[in-house]
Amino acid sequence: MIINKENKTDIIKASILTLLYALFFSTIYIGERSVIYISIYCILSVNLSVLIASNIKSKKEVYFKSSLIKKLIVGFILGWIMWPGFGELVGPIIGFYLSSKKKVDATNFSFQKYAWNQFKKNKIALVSLYLLGTLILIARFAPLIANNQPLYAVYKGVTMYPAFEDKKTTVEIKNLQTGEIEKLQYDITDWRKLDLESVIFTPIPYSVDFFDKENNDYVSPNDKQEFTNHKGELIDSPTRFRHHLGTDGKGADLLSGLIHGTRIALKVGLISMGIASFIGIILGAFAGFFGDRDLKMRRVKYYMTLIGLFFGFFYGFGQRKYAISDGFSQSNSEGMIEFTISILIILGITYIFRLSSRLITNKWLSTEISVPIDSMVSRGIEILNSIPRLILIITVTAIMDRSLTIIMVIIGITGWTGIARFTRAEFLRIKSLEYVQASKSLGFSSIRTIFKHALPNALAPVFVSIAFGIASAILIESGLSFLGIGVPDDVVTWGSLLNLGRGNIEAWWLIIFPGIAIFITITIYNMIAEASRDALDPRLKS
Amino acid sequence: MLKYTLKRLLAFIPMIIAISLIAFIISINAPGDPVESLTKAAGNEGGAEKQSGTAKKDKQKLRKKWGLDLPLFYFSVSDMASCDTLYKVQDRDQRENLERLIHEFGNWSAVNKYYKSLLELQKEQQNIDIESMCKQDTTLDKNKVNEALNQIGFNIVGLLEENKKELVNGKYEILDKLISAETYFPELISPYKLVVKKRESLSKKSTKWKTYIPSINWYGINSQYHWWVFGDLFHSKEAKRKGIIRGDFGVSYKDSQPIKNKIWDKVGISFTLSLLSILIAYLISLPIGIYSAYKKDSKIDKGISLVLFMLYSLPSFFVGTVLLLFFANPDTLLWFPESGIKDPINYNPDWSIFNWERIQHQLPYLVLPLITYTYSSFAFLSRIMRVGMIEIVSQDYIRTARAKGLSENKVILKHALRNSLLPIITVFAAIFPMCVGGSIIIEVIFSIPGMGTEMFNAILNYDYPMIIAFFTLIGFLTMIGYLVADLLYAVVDPRISYK
């Protein structure tokens, strides 16, 4: 971090503003009063803002101020959509960072801009992008779109906002005349049948775990649907409460299942490919950048690294296996904390061993040797590719507990090979370019050269591979749920809905609609991937 | 050519080792104790029998027979405190509990003494004869005594298998009450006191530091992994099993039949279907790819591309179910039978493979599965064919051929086609595992009695040896697919050197 005379005032201003914002966010907005949380928020955001503000070089230019407000607001909204509760804090800071970056002059040629223009020419791909945005919105607002708890309801003089509150909330309503107390638990109550004075239902008044007892035997979308109103009369279902896409055998609404399934489909695609691209990009970058010959270290350091890794794994995983398994049996977050501690132990021990190699000055041990990192990664990719992926995933899920997290992790761990290959190829090309050579000759460390100079230019083709990967991850997850061996039974996904249709082939709506949902999502991702590949392919440039 | 083949074969060895290792790791992590499952499969499992001597001996025999009393791998990495013969402890839960105790206290001899004292207590408890006790002392309430004894037995088993601190403490409280406070069983008091003493000495003699020092134990070829892969190939002793290298995958948990008898014909069905569908896919996709590359950027090409793209994105399970819904459904169209691969009534098992009548009988059953199998790889192949062809057509030698005045047909079919075949052959290596993997879903949809359905049933029945067997087998067969693709490539492309 460089703090000098010129940017001192900027940094002070920015940190004070962010501090105030973080305080406002934690105490007023989310009502968090615990000192630890407030201080974490404050420290984090002040640090970030100082980091960003120290790099502002362009604050005098006109666009900076105009884009700052815009980007702060967009950051807030996007942060709220992506990660409510914390995104609102991080989003504006990211917006601040983006607006602080020097804008490329409009007349200059930039590859990103060129690629984006190329992408925009493909109308189908553009529509796909909008559709993806719509899907994300649907997934984000699923509880407000399909929910059996109304958005707003007045019952016997009590005003409630059930859809916005925790579904286990219980409200006690006292009848003024008789003195009886009526208890309403939000998720159990059948709101449709209450004599509500005033009500706003969600567009689809059914949740995934709400079972309509009158229409519980595979009711088709155009069949007669029954409904008991609050007077106890059995009537034809009013359009408001019709199941527009039918129900399954238990009476759960299909449309609601599809909407909530969007969440899981997108989550599976994003998280599993996040894991895969993390592994793939790092391994591919190292393999491509260093090749078999360029990663040189003293022989003793190489051996010490290997010994350090051995000890690291021994103390990190062997010694702590019970701590990790106990953590995961308590809760996922507890387990992740233990797991992170183990990783830190491994890194620390390896680092200590590498440091200790400096003490040894034997001549033979000090000769430089090269580490064949490219061969190692390539063999790893070959081995993983030689096993049919779906079979591997099915086998592993068969011996594990059924859980969505495990499936996402497995898909991620088996899916990095394509990304690694693309990154490696791109790094092979980039490493001989002038700017990488320049950064090398300036004496920057390899890590800095890789992640700061080379990686941003290598990401474009990798992005295509990630987009294809998301499509195949969604496909794999829905295939597993279709077989009924993927997610637990109480999680509703598109695949599990289709599975219900396979069990009862007369219920065509349970086959067609989830299938179309899967198909559309996969097509969207494939379209975007295909169009961006065309846009990024330099051969089409002429 | 021979040299090239041998070279490729050598390159596959690490992959085969990796596959077998992954399969082995998965199999030893499968939940439950293998011997318990095997005895359950043999049908002699009973609550009372669990502790009896004969059942225990049977289990020991089984364990020996399947080599489960051996160490897992050629070597093991553990810490100094742990005992290198721990794998001999029979019960899986007890073994894990012991491991944990050693990890906690770091003193194997103390843990061993504690464990032995517990076993002694259990033995004493099992020796108590309530009938004779009641005869001697008629004032005793038989039911009460019986219940107390059962309680004690239950808690001792719990102590042997449980390692959560609160639960263990709770169990000791109950035992305290049952053994020391009530005086039904005076013979249990002294062994129980020994147990308590040993438990105290556990924490007194704790040498936790030992767990921080790593140690490597070498077991040699007498290990579970070696038996699993090679069987008695390198042993002159009595035959335990033959090893997967000679097709022995152990026995199924479901009916304790040898797996190798059960799977070979299933594998045959699945692979025939996969290969047949790949063949059909190649046959259809070649002309489509060539045609749309030839008419590049025309309306037909764009239409074909879009349709192929859509097909490529359609999940196969959706297509399969929709085909069933429309063409094998009494409500819509009953053109094809719903499930299976042969006519249950008119089918004659003596028919040879190419018998016309047999084909006639089986064809309707195969149409829908084959469509489902074929279409995704066909879309994939056509797209690759098209791209490859477009690239080839812009090459110099094609321009030369045209300049020579050759007819367009000759240019495309003779000069361009051969070269554009190269990428499509490489793709075989990618399509083959895709097809085999997809076969699980498709076979389940159409109830084809092949490998996929069998694997699916094995998963539903927790039949782990079966799952592992299929996994290993598919891995090996995929390897063969890769080899075939490599060799084909070398045959077609003279630029690849055989040396």
Side-chain angles (χ1 to χ4, degrees):
Chain A
M1 200 185 303
I2 317 137
I3 301 178
N4 49 32
K5 259 183 189 169
E6 287 161 26
N7 58 20
K8 213 169 163 186
T9 44
D10 286 340
I11 292 173
I12 293 172
K13 261 191 237 165
S15 44
I16 290 174
L17 277 177
T18 342
L19 184 69
L20 287 179
Y21 176 63
L23 278 173
F24 163 79
F25 169 80
S26 44
T27 48
I28 297 171
Y29 177 69
I30 58 170
E32 180 68 64
R33 310 223 175 261
S34 134
V35 182
I36 301 171
Y37 274 101
I38 295 177
S39 43
I40 287 176
Y41 288 152
C42 291
I43 292 170
L44 192 80
S45 36
V46 168
N47 270 323
L48 279 174
S49 71
V50 169
L51 203 67
I52 297 163
S54 68
N55 283 323
I56 296 180
K57 299 183 184 86
S58 48
K59 58 154 184 156
K60 297 233 165 58
E61 289 168 38
V62 187
Y63 78 85
F64 174 65
K65 274 170 196 155
S66 65
S67 76
L68 183 62
I69 304 290
K70 203 168 90 186
K71 285 199 167 125
L72 287 182
I73 293 172
V74 171
F76 183 85
I77 294 171
L78 278 181
W80 176 63
I81 289 176
M82 291 298 176
W83 190 2
F86 194 64
E88 298 94 319
L89 179 66
V90 180
I93 295 178
I94 293 173
F96 179 31
Y97 170 70
L98 287 179
S99 61
S100 78
K101 289 192 80 170
K102 199 167 168 63
K103 200 179 180 185
V104 181
D105 196 1
T107 51
N108 274 4
F109 176 81
S110 111
F111 182 64
Q112 271 100 351
K113 227 172 86 184
Y114 166 78
W116 173 237
N117 281 336
Q118 287 291 317
F119 186 87
K120 271 199 290 194
K121 279 183 194 162
N122 191 338
K123 287 287 173 282
I124 302 179
L126 210 57
V127 171
S128 305
L129 208 57
Y130 290 137
L131 277 177
L132 182 64
T134 321
L135 278 184
I136 291 174
L137 284 182
I138 289 177
R140 174 64 188 82
F141 295 107
L144 299 184
I145 298 173
N147 201 336
N148 63 328
Q149 303 160 32
L151 297 166
Y152 163 78
V154 181
Y155 183 56
K156 294 189 179 160
V158 182
T159 313
M160 289 169 281
Y161 303 95
F164 296 99
E165 285 170 54
D166 187 50
K167 63 180 187 177
K168 292 281 176 227
T169 317
T170 316
V171 175
E172 288 176 2
I173 293 165
K174 202 169 179 184
N175 193 327
L176 291 172
Q177 280 134 25
T178 53
E180 281 173 40
I181 292 177
E182 192 177 353
K183 273 188 184 175
L184 284 184
Q185 188 176 331
Y186 282 169
D187 60 335
I188 298 176
T189 314
D190 195 344
W191 293 88
R192 302 171 301 159
K193 295 180 183 169
L194 289 181
D195 188 11
L196 295 164
E197 285 147 32
S198 146
V199 63
I200 302 174
F201 276 108
T202 53
I204 294 124
Y206 297 102
S207 303
V208 267
D209 49 0
F210 179 81
F211 303 120
D212 187 354
K213 291 189 185 60
E214 277 119 17
N215 303 307
N216 63 359
D217 191 26
Y218 296 102
V219 178
S220 128
N222 37 29
D223 262 5
K224 197 181 147 216
Q225 295 180 1
E226 285 164 349
F227 180 71
T228 320
N229 63 7
H230 60 89
K231 289 171 200 144
E233 297 159 348
L234 194 67
I235 52 169
D236 255 15
S237 187
T239 326
R240 188 79 199 79
F241 299 126
R242 271 191 77 86
H243 301 276
H244 296 289
L245 296 185
T247 67
D248 70 359
K250 284 189 224 150
D253 186 63
L254 177 60
L255 185 53
S256 161
L258 287 182
I259 286 169
H260 283 266
T262 318
R263 283 194 139 183
I264 287 168
L266 295 185
K267 196 168 137 194
V268 166
L270 274 183
I271 293 182
S272 58
M273 273 302 113
I275 296 171
S277 38
F278 181 74
I279 304 175
I281 287 176
I282 288 183
L283 287 183
F286 276 100
F289 187 78
F290 290 120
D292 271 349
R293 260 171 280 156
D294 282 355
L295 183 59
K296 287 210 174 79
M297 52 174 86
R298 288 166 64 218
R299 179 166 287 158
V300 59
K301 200 170 187 183
Y302 180 43
Y303 293 155
M304 277 302 191
T305 313
L306 291 182
I307 297 173
L309 276 178
F310 170 77
F311 275 95
F313 274 96
F314 176 74
Y315 291 117
F317 284 137
Q319 185 64 25
R320 288 173 47 79
K321 61 182 172 193
Y322 295 117
I324 296 175
S325 64
D326 283 353
F328 272 110
S329 63
Q330 270 181 20
S331 74
N332 268 347
S333 58
E334 198 86 356
M336 278 316 291
I337 291 171
E338 294 288 347
F339 189 77
T340 323
I341 293 174
S342 284
I343 298 278
L344 288 179
I345 288 177
I346 293 175
L347 292 179
I349 288 177
T350 317
Y351 185 65
I352 290 169
F353 269 83
R354 279 171 70 98
L355 274 186
S356 71
S357 74
R358 291 189 185 181
L359 300 173
I360 298 165
T361 49
N362 182 304
K363 200 181 173 193
W364 181 76
L365 283 173
S366 297
T367 45
E368 294 244 308
I369 53 166
S370 49
V371 184
I373 191 160
D374 189 21
S375 314
M376 293 183 198
V377 173
S378 304
R379 288 298 92 72
I381 293 176
E382 271 176 30
I383 286 173
L384 206 56
N385 271 350
S386 68
I387 305 166
R389 192 170 163 212
L390 191 63
I391 302 276
L392 179 62
I393 292 171
I394 286 178
T395 314
V396 176
T397 45
I399 67 159
M400 298 264 212
D401 297 334
R402 286 167 62 179
S403 107
L404 194 63
T405 325
I406 288 177
I407 285 182
M408 293 191 292
V409 171
I410 295 172
I411 294 178
I413 288 177
T414 54
W416 55 271
T417 54
I419 297 168
R421 277 217 314 259
F422 274 101
T423 321
R424 176 177 167 272
E426 202 58 16
F427 265 81
L428 281 179
R429 184 178 69 80
I430 285 177
K431 76 172 173 186
S432 57
L433 293 183
E434 286 86 356
Y435 63 90
V436 174
Q437 296 297 336
S439 119
K440 266 187 195 167
S441 52
L442 277 170
F444 290 156
S445 72
S446 310
I447 299 289
R448 181 176 171 144
T449 315
I450 291 176
F451 289 109
K452 202 157 179 205
H453 300 273
L455 191 60
N457 297 295
L459 279 181
V462 179
F463 170 74
V464 178
S465 168
I466 293 176
F468 276 126
I470 291 179
S472 80
I474 294 174
L475 193 61
I476 288 175
E477 186 276 322
S478 47
L480 287 180
S481 316
F482 174 74
L483 288 178
I485 53 181
V487 294
D489 286 331
D490 56 336
V491 178
V492 177
T493 71
W494 292 339
S496 66
L497 288 171
L498 197 55
N499 186 23
L500 292 175
R502 180 173 68 94
N504 190 341
I505 203 101
E506 280 87 50
W508 55 266
W509 56 97
L510 282 175
I511 297 169
I512 302 287
F513 297 123
I516 287 176
I518 298 172
F519 168 61
I520 288 177
T521 316
I522 291 174
T523 316
I524 285 173
Y525 275 113
N526 280 343
M527 274 291 177
I528 292 173
E530 182 110 329
S532 41
R533 183 172 63 193
D534 291 346
L536 294 166
D537 197 339
R539 272 179 299 179
L540 297 172
K541 224 172 185 177
S542 58
Chain B
M1 191 68 201
L2 186 70
K3 223 171 176 181
Y4 178 77
T5 317
L6 280 177
K7 219 171 143 191
R8 293 309 307 164
L9 274 177
L10 275 182
F12 281 128
I13 287 177
M15 292 187 195
I16 288 176
I17 293 175
I19 289 180
S20 72
L21 268 178
I22 292 175
F24 184 70
I25 291 171
I26 293 174
S27 76
I28 57 173
N29 280 312
D33 189 37
V35 171
E36 294 293 336
S37 313
L38 280 169
T39 41
K40 210 183 265 175
N44 51 11
E45 153 92 341
E49 231 177 326
K50 203 181 170 189
Q51 298 304 331
S52 77
T54 51
K56 233 178 187 172
K57 254 181 202 160
D58 281 349
K59 278 179 196 168
Q60 202 145 14
K61 258 188 206 163
L62 264 177
R63 205 170 282 277
K64 205 149 195 187
K65 191 180 164 199
W66 294 109
L68 293 168
D69 56 344
L70 295 173
L72 286 177
F73 199 58
Y74 297 108
F75 63 88
S76 75
V77 179
S78 57
D79 48 53
M80 213 174 110
S82 72
C83 159
D84 61 344
T85 47
L86 198 65
Y87 57 84
K88 286 190 174 154
V89 176
Q90 275 202 24
D91 192 284
R92 189 174 172 151
D93 294 331
Q94 288 185 19
R95 193 165 60 233
E96 275 162 12
N97 186 23
L98 278 176
E99 269 169 25
R100 204 152 179 148
L101 280 174
I102 294 170
H103 179 79
E104 199 173 326
F105 298 108
N107 189 341
W108 164 237
S109 67
V111 171
N112 191 22
K113 276 176 191 157
Y114 167 67
Y115 178 69
K116 282 206 169 128
S117 69
L118 263 178
L119 284 182
E120 193 67 28
L121 181 67
Q122 191 183 30
K123 208 170 157 196
E124 285 290 332
Q125 178 259 341
Q126 279 164 2
N127 281 344
I128 290 173
D129 189 2
I130 296 177
E131 295 291 329
S132 57
M133 252 175 79
C134 292
K135 261 177 206 161
Q136 280 172 13
D137 188 351
T138 45
T139 54
L140 284 173
D141 181 0
K142 195 178 158 190
N143 284 340
K144 220 172 167 184
V145 175
N146 208 351
E147 205 198 308
L149 190 64
N150 281 341
Q151 274 274 340
I152 293 173
F154 176 74
N155 278 307
I156 292 172
V157 174
L159 282 180
L160 283 169
E161 295 175 354
E162 193 55 63
N163 47 40
K164 288 233 165 57
K165 241 191 180 118
E166 309 86 60
L167 286 174
V168 171
N169 285 341
K171 288 200 189 318
Y172 271 107
E173 270 167 29
I174 298 172
L175 279 182
D176 259 341
K177 225 186 272 165
L178 286 169
I179 295 178
S180 312
E182 291 182 33
T183 49
Y184 293 135
F185 319 109
E187 54 270 65
L188 287 185
I189 292 176
S190 68
Y192 177 67
K193 273 188 179 150
L194 192 69
V195 170
V196 174
K197 207 175 123 197
K198 292 292 173 204
R199 187 177 175 232
E200 275 163 10
S201 79
L202 259 185
S203 42
K204 261 186 215 157
K205 288 183 185 167
S206 156
T207 48
K208 177 82 176 159
W209 57 271
K210 273 189 180 175
T211 58
Y212 290 107
I213 300 170
S215 75
I216 297 175
N217 302 314
W218 177 260
Y219 298 112
I221 58 170
N222 219 359
S223 61
Q224 281 191 32
Y225 174 73
H226 188 87
W227 275 105
W228 184 67
V229 178
F230 298 105
D232 51 1
L233 208 58
F234 299 111
H235 296 259
S236 48
K237 285 192 285 179
E238 89 277 31
K240 280 177 183 169
R241 55 198 294 181
K242 287 200 151 163
I244 56 167
I245 208 164
R246 282 182 281 172
D248 177 13
F249 285 101
V251 298
S252 158
Y253 284 173
K254 201 173 140 205
D255 46 12
S256 41
Q257 292 292 313
I259 287 176
K260 81 174 167 190
N261 301 350
K262 289 174 78 172
I263 56 177
W264 282 115
D265 50 333
K266 311 257 152 94
V267 172
I269 291 174
S270 296
F271 272 81
T272 322
L273 276 175
S274 302
L275 285 177
L276 200 63
S277 69
I278 291 180
L279 192 72
I280 298 173
Y282 268 94
L283 286 181
I284 304 174
S285 61
L286 281 180
I288 290 185
I290 294 170
Y291 185 76
S292 70
Y294 180 60
K295 297 259 174 182
K296 192 194 163 198
D297 288 338
S298 69
K299 267 183 189 165
I300 301 175
D301 173 40
K302 278 182 182 157
I304 290 178
S305 294
L306 194 68
V307 171
L308 286 179
F309 191 84
M310 295 283 188
L311 282 181
Y312 178 63
S313 304
L314 265 178
S316 60
F317 49 87
F318 178 46
V319 174
T321 330
V322 167
L323 285 178
L324 270 188
L325 177 67
F326 284 124
F327 300 113
N329 187 350
D331 292 346
T332 49
L333 294 170
L334 194 51
W335 287 359
F336 301 105
E338 215 169 300
S339 62
I341 52 162
K342 53 194 173 193
D343 202 329
I345 306 158
N346 300 321
Y347 186 75
N348 181 358
D350 297 333
W351 284 334
S352 69
I353 298 176
F354 295 109
N355 188 316
W356 172 240
E357 255 183 288
R358 175 187 165 137
I359 293 173
Q360 230 176 355
H361 270 281
Q362 278 199 313
L363 202 59
Y365 288 88
L366 295 181
V367 170
L368 294 184
L370 272 182
I371 292 176
T372 323
Y373 260 120
T374 308
Y375 85 92
S376 62
S377 43
F378 137 75
F380 181 58
L381 279 175
S382 308
R383 282 156 59 77
I384 283 183
M385 188 73 208
R386 174 176 172 270
V387 173
M389 197 73 183
I390 287 174
E391 215 170 292
I392 296 287
V393 168
S394 64
Q395 298 278 335
D396 286 343
Y397 57 85
I398 298 294
R399 208 175 301 148
T400 318
R402 283 196 178 129
K404 276 200 302 190
L406 290 181
S407 71
E408 198 63 6
N409 273 349
K410 216 165 188 181
V411 171
I412 294 293
L413 295 180
K414 201 166 174 195
H415 288 76
L417 179 62
R418 263 202 204 167
N419 287 296
S420 62
L421 280 181
L422 291 179
I424 211 169
I425 286 173
T426 342
V427 169
F428 177 76
I431 284 191
F432 187 66
M434 217 167 76
C435 226
V436 172
S439 68
I440 290 195
I441 292 175
I442 297 172
E443 281 177 16
V444 169
I445 296 173
F446 294 104
S447 332
I448 296 168
M451 195 166 57
T453 318
E454 200 67 20
M455 183 155 176
F456 180 65
N457 289 335
I459 290 170
L460 293 187
N461 293 322
Y462 305 103
D463 191 353
Y464 298 113
M466 202 79 172
I467 302 173
I468 301 299
F470 279 126
F471 175 75
T472 324
L473 209 63
I474 291 173
F476 287 171
L477 290 171
T478 315
M479 209 82 350
I480 295 172
Y482 275 113
L483 189 65
V484 171
D486 273 358
L487 295 182
L488 270 180
Y489 201 56
V491 170
V492 177
D493 191 351
R495 279 170 296 186
I496 293 197
S497 74
Y498 295 149
K499 281 167 205 164

